[in-house]
Amino acid sequence: MPALAEVIAALEQAYPPELAESWDAVGLVCGDPAEHVDKVLFCVDPVDETVDEAIAGGAQLIVAHHPLLLRGVHGVPADSTKGRLVHRLIRAGVALYCAHTNADSASPGVSDALADAIGLTVLAPLDPREDGVTGIGRIGELPAPEPFSAFVERVANALPRTEPGVYGAGDPDRPIRRVAVSGGSGDSYLKRATTAGVDAYVTADLRHHPAGEHLADIAEVPALVGVTHWASEWPWCEQASGVVRAAFAGNVDVHVSTRCTDPWTLRATRTEH
């Protein structure tokens, strides 16, 4: 069995910490690098549900996309939400490692996994770094054009089900071929997507005003497809599990959590009388 430090080294080769944004908190949150690991759980969110799953399944390591302690803290008391999780992890002997914006910018990274799930051939980053290979988001192409209505259905069928579902903004008959994607909150890249000349842009957490202003532009702009934050990043879990699986020739048991940790659990529509 490899040591935790060896598993982290494999993950950081795939998702270099230096690619993380300056405000981010990536890396080992808790755990002994010298301890051995034979089972790893991959998930988007380090929350009670995924900690339950890791402990019940006998995992020694959780690899999560979202940081547990993104903002500075002065303590982790067990009577606080995040402190409780840290105490549970330590007591159970489960380490927690987070790969966030470094996984977003890596190649392949979070948006490559999203593009692959949708069926896109990746061409370039949406917001490239100086090397032109890494960066946030991806631009890709479908094998053939299809109507926007069909494309929205494609996205819905490619990603795990959530209560809010998938929604689109654009002409249902517009042909879609060239597409930009950005896993996670992506409305800050609306202008990038427009400049890239794509037909549609898929991302999460689209806000009312940025989306409305984008669609009101006098120039032809990409149609929008909105998904939930969790759903847009979940495909990365399988990609990251493949990194560990390949690095240790199957000697580490890897599992991808299928528990939906999207916060939205109910949906209602107005009943017309």
Side-chain angles (χ1 to χ4, degrees), residues 70-148:
L70 180 58
R71 295 176 176 83
V73 297
H74 300 289
V76 284
D79 60 354
S80 67
T81 300
K82 294 188 176 184
R84 181 181 70 250
L85 286 179
V86 171
H87 281 262
R88 289 189 64 205
L89 289 164
I90 293 173
R91 287 169 180 157
V94 180
L96 173 62
Y97 180 87
C98 300
H100 191 212
T101 53
N102 52 324
D104 288 330
S105 283
S107 180
V110 170
S111 290
D112 294 278
L114 175 58
D116 184 63
I118 295 171
L120 301 174
T121 298
V122 171
L123 304 175
L126 176 60
D127 185 25
R129 296 169 70 96
E130 290 183 1
D131 61 11
V133 176
T134 60
I136 300 294
R138 293 294 183 267
I139 297 169
E141 280 189 346
L142 292 169
E146 62 188 32
F148 182 56

Side-chain angles (χ1 to χ4, degrees), residues 3-15 17 27-33 37 61 63 95-97 244 248:
L4 172 59
E6 295 175 272
V7 178
I8 290 173
L11 288 165
E12 292 190 344
Q13 184 174 4
Y15 310 115
L28 187 63
V29 176
C30 63
D32 183 348
V37 172
L61 171 63
V63 176
L96 173 62
Y97 180 87
V244 172
F248 301 101

Side-chain angles (χ1 to χ4, degrees), residues 212-236:
E213 290 165 7
H214 164 84
L215 295 168
D217 198 310
I218 58 173
E220 185 174 45
V221 297
L224 300 179
V225 180
V227 301
T228 71
H229 197 116
W230 172 80
S232 74
E233 294 177 331
W234 184 81
W236 169 81

Side-chain angles (χ1 to χ4, degrees), residues 231-246:
S232 74
E233 294 177 331
W234 184 81
W236 169 81
C237 296
E238 182 60 41
Q239 181 196 97
S241 72
V243 169
V244 172
R245 188 183 297 111

